[in-house]
Amino acid sequence: TQMSEVAPKLSLSIAHQPTKIHRFRYLKEVSDGRMGSVLRSRAPGGKTPVAVTATVQSVSAGYKLKLVGCTIFEDLMTHPFYLTGDDCRNGVFEKELSSESGPSEQEVKLEKVGIVCTPKKQRKSKGKPSGASENGVPAHIGMQNGTTQEDNFYMERIQKYNFFGKKPKQNPFQGKDINKLRLAFQVFYQLPGSSDWLAADCSPVYTEVIGDAKIFSKMEIEFIIPDSVWRPDQDVWLYTKDDLPAQSVVELTVRLEQKSEPFMIIELQPKELKKHLVVFNFEQPILTNAVSGSFSVTLVDKRNDDSSEPVKLELINLSNDPSGSDPVKKKARCDEKPAVQQDSLDELVGTFVDDNGYLEDLSQLYVEPRA
């Protein structure tokens, strides 16, 4: 009771989420002293490290505080991959926090930290009887043919850093995607004169899912045709670098986001998909007021929330007024010219439009790629 009364009080939050895609490092890379791939956040520029904010509300004099980070599965169970690099020890990240009296907010950055993966042959249970145990942990939790170091790292994390109290299972990796994980963080404190570290009065936090490139089939938009729209029935083409991961239009969302006022977000279901091509228009959403401005366009895979890097699309006084079905007005809009500066894509677009200003039929333009 006394210990709980003097325990430091803190709160944690993820300041910078890690990128969705990360190349896990192999043990040989680490053994050879190579830096390899390090964790980066989603902040613009691609160089900002992952960061956690620790807000200290109260701490008694003489106490020590540290932030501990490790890997977990999507369901918060301990993951066999481990952390390496600056401020990492025995497969976990450890960084001392300031324990000066009085409230404080501290941002902890994971500088030059990577994730080491375990080869497939090490991801099976040891096959020992379920009753066997090692240091209070079921023996079958270990990794078959894993190095002694890797087994020790894994066992220690299950025993000491199981932040969410997930009990080890007999077949811990069964039904799990080993190439998807999260980072989890908790604060520990040490009493004056003691060598033990105790969990602080603080809820642990975890990041969004991290996976390798094979898990998140990144969609890359090579170009958009046209790059400005002034009619709701005007088809827009997104041409992707690789084959689309989705087979049906219901699996993808076209998301348009305006970065300046009035900060609109429009989400559309594609009209048609064909290998590298996504076709959409603005007949589907209800645009009661005319919309103008520059929007960023991304493709979102609904199955894993993976999204492409954005491309730009200009909307010019766009609305789907019911009068748009009037053929006379429709023809008048075809004759209108967008009041935007032309760019290098204009010539390319011109080869795809008919005499009325409409994009040619997709089936007429599509050419089977060479093998």
Side-chain angles (χ1 to χ4, degrees):
T1 305
Q2 183 181 1
M3 196 68 67
S4 63
E5 292 175 355
V6 298
K9 292 187 178 181
L10 310 93
S11 63
L12 291 176
S13 62
I14 306 297
H16 294 296
Q17 290 281 354
T19 56
K20 288 184 179 180
I21 299 175
H22 176 73
R23 189 186 76 77
F24 303 127
R25 298 168 64 182
Y26 293 101
L27 182 61
K28 182 170 174 39
E29 290 179 288
V30 180
S31 303
D32 292 345
R34 285 178 278 172
M35 177 62 66
S37 177
V38 296
L39 285 164
R40 295 296 184 206
S41 77
R42 303 179 190 184
K47 294 185 178 181
T48 305
V50 176
V52 179
T53 299
T55 303
V56 181
Q57 294 151 1
S58 64
V59 57
S60 300
Y63 282 34
K64 291 183 179 180
L65 299 174
K66 70 175 178 180
L67 179 72
V68 175
C70 60
T71 58
I72 57 174
F73 279 105
E74 289 183 272
D75 65 0
L76 311 185
M77 286 187 63
T78 304
H79 195 287
F81 293 5
Y82 57 92
L83 301 177
T84 186
D86 290 3
D87 300 307
C88 292
R89 186 181 66 86
N90 294 345
V92 301
F93 174 83
E94 295 185 354
K95 185 78 170 180
E96 188 170 336
L97 299 174
S98 171
S99 55
E100 294 180 4
S101 60
S104 66
E105 186 172 284
Q106 306 172 43
E107 185 174 275
V108 180
K109 299 177 180 179
L110 278 69
E111 304 270 10
K112 297 181 181 178
V113 174
I115 301 175
V116 180
C117 66
T118 53
K120 289 182 179 179
K121 66 180 181 180
Q122 298 174 16
R123 300 176 193 158
K124 300 176 181 178
S125 64
K126 288 183 175 180
K128 293 182 180 179
S130 58
S133 64
E134 297 176 2
N135 300 323
V137 177
H140 49 257
I141 292 302
M143 295 171 288
Q144 187 182 38
N145 300 324
T147 65
T148 302
Q149 180 191 54
E150 288 170 333
D151 253 355
N152 288 341
F153 285 176
Y154 189 48
M155 292 291 188
E156 182 179 46
R157 282 188 286 126
I158 289 175
Q159 290 174 310
K160 296 173 61 176
Y161 304 121
N162 187 2
F163 302 154
F164 301 94
K166 295 282 186 176
K167 294 182 179 180
K169 297 180 180 179
Q170 184 167 347
N171 297 304
F173 309 138
Q174 186 174 0
K176 297 183 186 296
D177 192 333
I178 201 79
N179 290 311
K180 281 185 177 182
L181 55 82
R182 303 177 189 268
L183 302 180
F185 298 92
Q186 173 63 298
V187 174
F188 290 78
Y189 70 96
Q190 192 178 65
L191 296 169
S194 173
S195 59
D196 296 329
W197 287 94
L198 308 170
D201 184 6
C202 171
S203 297
V205 294
Y206 54 84
T207 67
E208 295 181 17
V209 175
I210 308 169
D212 64 13
K214 295 177 183 177
I215 297 301
F216 295 108
S217 51
K218 193 72 177 174
M219 294 176 286
E220 183 178 345
I221 303 173
E222 285 202 306
F223 55 81
I224 181 171
I225 303 174
D227 61 359
S228 61
V229 174
W230 63 99
R231 298 192 318 268
D233 59 340
Q234 189 175 356
D235 284 346
V236 180
W237 289 18
L238 299 175
Y239 185 84
T240 59
K241 183 176 180 180
D242 299 308
D243 284 355
L244 292 164
Q247 303 296 319
S248 169
V249 294
V250 298
E251 296 173 345
L252 285 183
T253 295
V254 179
R255 179 178 295 157
L256 294 93
E257 186 172 354
Q258 195 172 24
K259 300 295 186 180
S260 58
E261 291 187 6
F263 304 107
M264 286 186 64
I265 294 178
I266 304 173
E267 293 193 340
L268 308 167
Q269 180 175 296
K271 175 182 171 183
E272 188 171 357
L273 306 181
K274 186 170 280 192
K275 296 200 173 181
H276 292 244
L277 289 170
V278 178
V279 182
F280 70 94
N281 61 33
F282 291 87
E283 291 183 311
Q284 180 192 71
I286 299 175
L287 304 175
T288 53
N289 298 316
V291 178
S292 294
S294 180
F295 284 73
S296 64
V297 182
T298 54
L299 281 175
V300 181
D301 189 337
K302 293 181 181 178
R303 297 167 300 176
N304 55 24
D305 203 31
D306 181 30
S307 60
S308 67
E309 292 298 315
V311 292
K312 294 295 182 184
L313 178 66
E314 193 80 17
L315 303 187
I316 305 168
N317 203 29
L318 182 70
S319 69
N320 48 12
D321 190 329
S323 64
S325 59
D326 187 332
V328 175
K329 293 186 178 181
K330 191 172 185 179
K331 177 65 172 69
R333 286 198 307 273
C334 292
D335 295 334
E336 293 175 6
K337 300 296 181 183
V340 292
Q341 184 178 358
Q342 293 188 335
D343 59 25
S344 57
L345 275 178
D346 284 354
E347 184 178 350
L348 179 62
V349 174
T351 65
F352 291 161
V353 298
D354 60 21
D355 294 337
N356 293 320
Y358 288 97
L359 285 171
E360 296 278 8
D361 227 15
L362 187 62
S363 58
Q364 296 175 13
L365 287 173
Y366 180 71
V367 178
E368 186 72 28
R370 296 179 181 177

